[in-house]
Amino acid sequence: MTLAATHHGYFAATQPGFLSPTGVEVAFLLVGVVTFGAAIVTVTTRQLVHAALWLVVTLGGLAVEYLLLTAEFIAWVQVLIYVGSVVVLLLFGLMLTRAPIGRSPDADSGNRWAALAVAVASAVALVWVVVDAFRTTWIDLDGAPAGSTEVTGKALFQSWVLPFEALSVLLLAALVGAIVLSRKAKADAATTTARNGPPVPGTRSDKGGAR
């Protein structure tokens, strides 16, 4: 009994408690706060280009969080696919559709409270699903790390290969859609010019075009 109590006391003394976090835990918390702030700015700013750039900060913060959790494969996938592909695709979509670069008053739909309610409900659902799924999960310390490239790569390309390919097709469809919208706008402008003729110098339309 005494030996067990001594062993328990030694084990508790060598483990960091809740009020004595490690450096990794402090870094995880600080990066999480920065990522959360960047996400808030992403959905509240009225400049589309700034929203895309703040999205880069948000996704980059998530990649750092994955690195702190020793999930290096997911971290680099986050950087390569989301930061290097999705955000670039959004920027190309903004350029091809001639979206306004500056401040856009019509970028806010006025449904902030509904969007906030949906975001809170989604966050609660995700937290509940993760806690319920990993409540009784045991990690094999003798095998490969759970977030390593070997384990994650096998799960991704064996069990999740169809969703992975569906996502790539979806990104390709979004790029093709942006190009189609851009070409349609140019065709409409050319049709209007051919129907009405070029603007006469000194008229109101010419002044508006000059602006």
Side-chain angles (χ1 to χ4, degrees):
M1 186 68 179
T2 305
L3 182 61
T6 304
H7 178 73
H8 178 73
Y10 174 77
F11 182 77
T14 56
Q15 297 298 319
F18 179 76
L19 297 179
S20 59
T22 62
V24 175
E25 294 173 346
V26 173
F28 185 87
L29 180 61
L30 294 178
V31 174
V33 171
V34 173
T35 304
F36 181 75
I40 295 296
V41 176
T42 302
V43 298
T44 55
T45 183
R46 294 190 177 183
Q47 297 189 10
L48 298 179
V49 177
H50 288 183
L53 296 179
W54 279 109
L55 183 61
V56 173
V57 179
T58 304
L59 298 176
L62 290 177
V64 175
E65 298 283 55
Y66 286 132
L67 281 178
L68 293 176
L69 292 174
T70 66
E72 71 278 0
F73 180 79
I74 303 298
W76 293 123
V77 167
Q78 180 82 14
V79 172
L80 294 176
I81 295 181
Y82 287 96
V83 178
S85 299
V86 174
V87 177
V88 172
L89 181 62
L90 291 176
L91 293 175
F92 268 100
L94 293 177
M95 290 187 293
L96 292 175
T97 56
R98 296 183 179 181
I101 302 300
R103 188 177 181 86
S104 303
D106 57 346
D108 189 3
S109 62
N111 298 323
R112 290 188 176 183
W113 292 110
L116 180 61
V118 172
V120 171
S122 301
V124 171
L126 288 175
V127 171
W128 180 79
V129 168
V130 171
V131 171
D132 184 69
F134 293 97
R135 181 180 302 169
T136 58
T137 300
W138 292 85
I139 299 177
D140 185 12
L141 298 179
D142 296 330
S148 64
T149 305
E150 179 183 359
V151 175
T152 309
K154 288 182 178 179
L156 180 63
F157 293 104
Q158 289 181 357
S159 304
W160 299 93
V161 62
L162 291 180
F164 184 80
E165 294 298 332
L167 179 61
S168 62
V169 174
L170 179 62
L171 295 177
L172 179 61
L175 180 59
V176 173
I179 296 175
V180 170
L181 290 176
S182 176
R183 293 179 63 88
K184 183 179 179 181
K186 292 181 180 179
D188 293 341
T191 303
T192 303
T193 303
R195 183 180 302 172
N196 300 331
V200 179
T203 60
R204 182 176 299 178
S205 61
D206 179 65
K207 293 179 181 178
R211 290 178 185 175

